[in-house]
Amino acid sequence: MVIQPKIRGFICTNAHPVGCAENVRQQISYVKQQGPVADGPKNVLVIGASTGYGLASRITAAFGSGAKTLGIFFEKAPTESKTGSAGWYNTAAFEQAAEAEGLWNKHLNGDAFTDELKAEAINLIRSEMGKIDLVVYSLAAPRRKDPVSGDVYSSVLKPIGQAYTAKNLNTTKREIEEVSVEPANDDEIFNTVKVMGGEDWERWLDQLHAAGVLAENCQTVAYTYIGKKLTWPIYGKATIGRAKEDLDRAAGAIRNKLSDVKANAYVASLKALVTQASSAIPIMPLYISLLYRVMKQQGSHEGCIEQINGLFRQGLYSNTPILDDAGRLRMDGKELADDVQDKVAALWDQVTTDTIDSLTDYHGYHTEFLHLFGFGFDGVDYDADVTPLVPLANLAN
């Protein structure tokens, strides 16, 4: 079939297998150009491994450290008439590249929140990998079923305390408009923390530890975004921010419970980027479009792979990691620099629908959005007839 993007609101409902492969190829090439990660990991579990920062983590571990990698994700397989999800095709491309270099890799496709999938992962680790020395937690999901109570919790994207009204870039209409969001109630805050907080990360580490499959001096990291003044009302000081604060609690709990294997648990704060998750958050498309313009002009812009490559080399596997007062690894310093934020704020005040092209990097934002689904890459023939049926040979379930 000829596959062209089908965009609905803030998501694309299809994906291009050849374009996704090009996306993965470019990230692998970047990591290999940086040389080996000194004293990097050897056995890595990536929970949320098929897109964005999770995919970049798996690529960096495998092609920067030669690590065995087990990837956990929840992706849609292709059929003869419908494409698979981008994460499916990303994983297929990763698999093919890893196989070509003799790198052990397997995947589990399913709900990472369930104890059943955790047990599958533990059995696979025990039988084929050896002890895990790095666990990356990079899940983004709208809902979660509690494995103990069976209750289903749904997250919301709302401010806390008072309603919030601000400019927004409507990417469907390509217009600057005003968006208003009512404040979350206590139940909505609680539910969002249950879905997006640290409870499941902690549960993964509890069960891996109980099974005896964690190496001594192992590390685990969960990803967050902190931001600054412009994004605080809807991100930092909001339901998402409250959930992300719970990651700090979980990191401390994990360190305490895994002290016998001398484990370390970090929360890593990363840069705002175009992801499937960030595209759904009010104001973030406009903020990111402005941020890209400023940082590209300064020469300081980085994408997922640059951020994660830096996290491995300057954070997780560095003797002098960049830590804040809360003990978080910080890779967002360039974004949050005062001069960058001041320029973004000034443009924020000025931008209108008529000045989107001149004051923002909307083109860069939209291009990266398309890249998430394998579209918009130079050198890929999007008029060609391609098969959507790309297998995952190393799918273990």
Side-chain angles (χ1 to χ4, degrees):
M1 64 173 68
V2 175
I3 304 171
Q4 298 289 341
K6 297 178 180 177
I7 298 172
R8 185 186 304 153
F10 54 81
I11 64 168
C12 186
T13 60
N14 62 350
H16 199 287
V18 180
C20 288
E22 176 60 17
N23 184 18
V24 171
R25 186 199 67 77
Q26 289 184 13
Q27 293 188 59
I28 291 172
S29 176
Y30 175 81
V31 171
K32 291 171 74 171
Q33 287 171 13
Q34 313 310 308
V37 177
D39 301 317
K42 297 306 175 189
N43 290 308
V44 179
L45 171 63
V46 183
I47 304 159
S50 55
T51 62
Y53 280 128
L55 174 64
S57 301
R58 194 176 193 190
I59 289 170
T60 303
F63 295 94
S65 297
K68 295 180 178 180
T69 61
L70 173 57
I72 310 291
F73 47 76
F74 200 6
E75 296 294 347
K76 183 183 68 175
T79 67
E80 289 185 357
S81 60
K82 291 185 178 181
T83 73
S85 56
W88 181 277
Y89 293 138
N90 290 340
T91 302
F94 171 89
E95 177 183 276
Q96 291 167 16
E99 290 291 306
E101 300 200 11
L103 296 170
W104 187 97
N105 67 101
K106 286 201 173 176
H107 343 285
L108 292 170
N109 191 22
D111 186 352
F113 293 136
T114 66
D115 286 347
E116 289 78 12
L117 196 67
K118 292 177 175 67
E120 286 186 70
I122 287 167
N123 289 336
L124 191 56
I125 291 164
R126 186 181 283 125
S127 63
E128 299 192 39
M129 292 186 74
K131 295 192 174 184
I132 296 293
D133 54 8
L134 175 64
V135 178
V136 174
Y137 191 85
S138 184
L139 278 190
R143 64 188 59 83
R144 170 176 175 246
K145 183 177 180 179
D146 188 291
V148 177
S149 69
D151 295 334
V152 177
Y153 299 95
S154 295
S155 60
V156 298
L157 308 173
K158 290 186 176 183
I160 292 176
Q162 60 185 10
Y164 177 61
T165 299
K167 280 183 176 178
N168 183 54
L169 172 56
N170 184 320
T171 55
T172 301
K173 298 178 180 179
R174 206 172 173 279
E175 294 178 352
I176 300 297
E177 61 185 17
E178 197 172 76
V179 61
S180 294
V181 187
E182 291 301 309
N185 60 41
D186 289 343
D187 286 344
E188 289 173 323
I189 296 169
F190 177 81
N191 290 351
T192 303
V193 173
K194 291 287 284 188
V195 176
M196 303 176 69
E199 189 174 282
D200 184 62
W201 178 32
E202 187 179 352
R203 192 171 184 85
W204 267 99
L205 271 297
D206 285 345
Q207 294 190 21
L208 293 165
H209 184 221
V213 296
L214 292 177
E216 190 163 305
N217 298 309
C218 64
Q219 298 192 92
T220 183
V221 61
Y223 297 146
T224 193
Y225 176 72
I226 294 175
K228 219 163 184 177
K229 184 178 179 181
L230 273 173
T231 58
W232 277 344
I234 196 65
Y235 209 118
K237 297 178 179 177
T239 52
I240 305 174
R242 187 68 60 85
K244 295 301 186 181
E245 287 173 10
D246 190 60
L247 291 175
D248 296 326
R249 176 207 58 78
I254 291 167
R255 284 193 294 268
N256 289 335
K257 288 189 280 188
L258 274 59
S259 60
D260 60 323
V261 293
K262 302 175 184 176
N264 213 337
Y266 291 106
V267 175
S269 183
L270 303 172
K271 175 179 179 283
L273 290 172
V274 182
T275 65
Q276 293 182 41
S278 68
S279 300
I281 301 171
I283 83 165
M284 291 305 286
L286 177 57
Y287 172 76
I288 292 171
S289 297
L290 294 169
L291 179 71
Y292 278 19
R293 181 183 191 270
V294 171
M295 296 191 75
K296 286 178 181 179
Q297 287 179 343
Q298 289 191 348
S300 60
H301 174 68
E302 293 178 331
C304 278
I305 196 64
E306 291 86 0
Q307 280 275 289
I308 296 300
N309 175 75
L311 175 67
F312 273 58
R313 298 171 192 270
Q314 301 159 29
L316 291 169
Y317 299 98
S318 167
N319 293 324
T320 56
I322 303 169
L323 299 171
D324 63 15
D325 293 342
R328 303 183 198 98
L329 291 165
R330 298 302 292 261
M331 296 303 299
D332 53 358
K334 294 176 183 178
E335 172 191 350
L336 302 185
D338 287 343
D339 64 321
V340 170
Q341 290 296 305
D342 288 346
K343 289 176 182 176
V344 171
L347 291 169
W348 181 283
D349 290 339
Q350 298 170 41
V351 68
T352 66
T353 297
D354 293 335
T355 57
I356 287 174
D357 288 332
S358 60
L359 295 186
T360 83
D361 183 27
Y362 177 77
H363 174 76
Y365 175 94
H366 185 65
T367 298
E368 282 205 17
F369 176 82
L370 290 174
H371 284 179
L372 295 176
F373 305 94
F375 297 106
F377 284 100
D378 294 337
V380 176
D381 183 359
Y382 291 102
D383 294 320
D385 190 13
V386 298
T387 176
L389 294 175
V390 179
L392 284 180
N394 294 342
L395 196 61
N397 61 346

